[in-house]
Amino acid sequence: MPSTSRVRPSRRLAWSAAAAVTSAGLAATGLLAFPGSAHAADTLGAAAAESGRYYGAAVAPHLLGEGDYAGTLNREFNSIVAENVMKWDATEPNRGQFNFSGGDQLVSHAQNNGMSVRGHTLVWHAQQPGWVQGLTGNNLRQAMLDHIDGVAGHYAGKIDSWDVVNEAFEWDGSRRQSNLQQQIGNGWIEDAFRAADAADPGATLCYNDYGTDGVNAKSDGIYRMVQDFLARGVPIDCVGFQSHLDSNSDLGSYRQNLQRFADLGVDVQITELDIGGSGSAQANAYRTVTEACVAVSRCTGITTWGITDKYSWRGQDTPLLFDGNYQKKQAYTAVLEALNSAP
Ligand code: XIL
């Protein structure tokens, strides 16, 4: 049976249990309810933790020195993902020469503050160092395997979930014609997952993509790949839905789409959430996405792609939960309510 073919420790439960054993852990998550009472949590992380989920943010280590940035992160979020510093160009600028300084800083910050860590991303067509872009055939394949071994090996045991492969599909559900696809061939994605499994057997291994915010040709293609991987025992545990959205994005089948992947026997995670817009339209879209995750038991957590609109990669779209002055937006309240109403 596909869903039982992989037996991995549940990092999510391990993390929740660890956070729950001390009163310091409870205070850190902002979860102040007494046993038996139904007290709504008052931070994103604490509200998500009530149903065993995480609520994370993409972080840049060079901003941690800004008081409001670190303060908001530490108060509201209980998971971190590197916005850029764990990508191939940052971690292996020259072949075989690794630089883990930025990633190590984020992992330390997470560990010191009781947060889990998502790894992003081992293999992607973008943000490759120059030396990778010129490689061909088996030389590129070996470089990819060595990269995964180096990075996932370095962080082994410290990463809850890895985005092993990022953005490998086209809108029509076919494989993206990247250098990886063209030089290595169809097998490159499963090669990457096997290498990640060998390097960090405890991490939840995810395939991550955008434009998969409903049942559509692209998510259909990914669905078929996951189905095939599970049937053949390729180690995949999770699908990440980036969810770079706008207030008017069609979310009519968002939840159904998460559910169909969960039903295949993988976890689902919302990995790079940001929603352009403002006011109630933005808040409603955030609410819909959050409600979809909490309605799907295998939706294990949500990450927003940044903390404040001030540093968003889509800054002009004001897509995050905190404005440029770190004030909570209407969307924040909608998300908190949706998390607190999780079954
Ligand atoms: C973006 C970062 O936010 C930017 O700072 C960087 O310049 C480009 O990459 N999909 C992904 C993320 O998987 O890694 C991208 O992050 C956003 C789109």
Side-chain angles (χ1 to χ4, degrees):
M1 245 182 76
S3 61
T4 56
S5 63
R6 291 181 50 65
V7 181
R8 291 177 154 271
S10 169
R11 294 309 193 81
R12 173 163 67 110
L13 292 178
W15 175 82
S16 305
V21 288
T22 62
S23 55
L26 288 177
T29 61
L31 183 61
L32 300 172
F34 295 102
S37 73
H39 192 291
D42 60 2
T43 67
L44 301 169
E50 284 186 321
S51 63
R53 296 180 169 87
Y54 65 82
Y55 206 95
V59 172
H62 70 273
L63 297 175
L64 286 172
E66 185 173 315
D68 284 342
Y69 184 89
T72 307
L73 172 66
N74 297 346
R75 186 186 73 235
E76 296 287 343
F77 297 89
N78 57 18
S79 167
I80 283 185
V81 66
E83 182 166 0
N84 287 298
V85 297
M86 288 194 191
K87 292 172 180 173
W88 200 339
D89 58 353
T91 52
E92 197 182 0
N94 298 295
R95 190 166 190 166
Q97 213 176 78
F98 292 91
N99 179 352
F100 297 118
S101 56
D104 286 354
Q105 203 184 327
L106 292 183
V107 170
S108 297
H109 187 92
Q111 290 178 339
N112 293 336
N113 291 280
M115 303 171 177
S116 58
V117 183
R118 296 195 80 260
H120 176 83
T121 173
L122 293 171
V123 198
W124 188 23
H125 66 275
Q127 289 179 270
Q128 295 179 354
W131 64 268
V132 170
Q133 295 168 33
L135 299 181
T136 57
N138 195 50
N139 200 12
L140 177 60
R141 180 173 180 276
Q142 195 56 50
M144 176 187 83
L145 298 176
D146 293 344
H147 178 71
I148 294 169
D149 183 56
V151 178
H154 175 78
Y155 289 111
K158 298 176 177 169
I159 304 291
D160 179 88
S161 306
W162 261 115
D163 290 333
V164 177
V165 170
N166 199 33
E167 303 183 352
F169 280 74
E170 303 280 1
W171 289 107
D172 67 1
S174 66
R175 292 291 186 87
R176 179 190 289 271
Q177 291 305 308
S178 65
N179 60 333
L180 299 151
Q181 179 72 25
Q182 293 184 334
Q183 296 300 325
I184 308 176
N186 260 328
W188 75 272
I189 298 183
E190 61 189 89
D191 289 348
F193 275 88
R194 289 198 177 94
D197 185 40
D200 186 356
T204 295
L205 305 181
C206 304
Y207 174 80
N208 191 51
D209 215 327
Y210 65 91
T212 50
D213 312 299
V215 177
N216 58 36
K218 186 170 181 176
S219 61
D220 281 352
I222 296 163
Y223 182 90
R224 287 190 294 270
M225 176 187 75
V226 173
Q227 202 170 32
D228 170 55
F229 279 12
L230 292 172
R232 291 190 295 112
V234 178
I236 186 168
D237 305 303
C238 151
V239 175
F241 300 81
Q242 292 186 10
S243 305
H244 294 295
L245 300 166
D246 285 294
S247 296
N248 61 2
S249 297
D250 177 8
L251 300 175
S253 60
Y254 191 92
R255 172 180 162 180
Q256 179 196 345
N257 191 48
L258 296 183
Q259 187 67 59
R260 71 169 174 155
F261 278 90
D263 290 344
L264 275 181
V266 288
D267 287 346
V268 294
Q269 302 179 1
I270 297 169
T271 52
E272 303 185 15
L273 180 61
D274 56 7
I275 305 181
S278 62
S280 59
Q282 182 181 49
N284 286 336
Y286 262 106
R287 185 190 307 275
T288 300
V289 169
T290 311
E291 285 176 348
C293 179
V294 300
V296 174
S297 63
R298 289 198 77 152
C299 183
T300 57
I302 300 175
T303 300
T304 55
W305 203 244
I307 298 168
T308 161
D309 289 339
K310 183 178 179 183
Y311 298 123
S312 166
W313 75 307
R314 304 171 59 192
Q316 66 287 1
D317 296 337
T318 61
L320 292 169
L321 300 177
F322 296 88
D323 71 15
N325 297 314
Y326 295 94
Q327 297 303 300
K328 296 171 180 172
K329 295 161 64 175
Q330 206 175 321
Y332 171 94
T333 309
V335 168
L336 191 64
E337 284 173 5
L339 293 172
N340 273 318
S341 64

